[in-house]
Amino acid sequence: MPHTAPHWLAEGPRVAIRHFTPEDGPEFTARARESKDLHRPWLFPPDTDEAYAAYAGRLIEDPTKAGFLVCEKDSGAIAGFININNIVRGGFQCGALGYGAFAHAAGRGLMREGLDLVVGYAFGPLGLHRLEINVQPENAASVALARGGGFRLEGFSPAMIYIDGAWRDHERWALTAEMRNPG
């Protein structure tokens, strides 16, 4: 898929992160359709132009959200996405992460590298103090990403989030700026 010159917000050895744009729709939705077997039953990213336009529009326009595409540096291809939702300012300075890898990039460590970049951006330019991840306990890949990213398990919430027609249990993981950069 063709890519224009990117504007990276942060770069690692193999991936970089950037914000969503309306022009990413065709690639994002194609990757989402290719990745349905990987995502189900945990995740339902937009897989049509209309759904992507609404989804990306919220991430672009809503100040309580920040969306990041994790892209392979060599090709610019979208490997996955990491969003910070429910950003609360004031004394809280917290946001909740949601993420997904696309099938072609799964299992290659690209999302782990991308998560590190997003966390650095969140605790740096965004000025957040705490990030939270809510994960269904059976989603081993998502739990591994949270654990590998340095997040600590803080608790268990039964019937926490409504997903795919039912209220699902979730583990609560969190990371603070001090945990990432002690002292």
Side-chain angles (χ1 to χ4, degrees), residues 2 18 25 28 40 49 93 120 148 152 157 159 178 181:
R18 65 178 175 82
F28 189 98
R40 301 300 191 261
D49 292 339
Q93 296 298 335
R152 70 176 169 224
S157 297
E178 293 85 4
N181 300 309

Side-chain angles (χ1 to χ4, degrees), residues 7-10 15-19 68-71 114 117-118 121:
H7 173 68
W8 302 132
L9 299 168
V15 302
I17 58 170
R18 65 178 175 82
H19 289 301
F68 303 91
L69 294 172
V70 177
C71 301
L117 296 173
V118 170
Y121 192 83

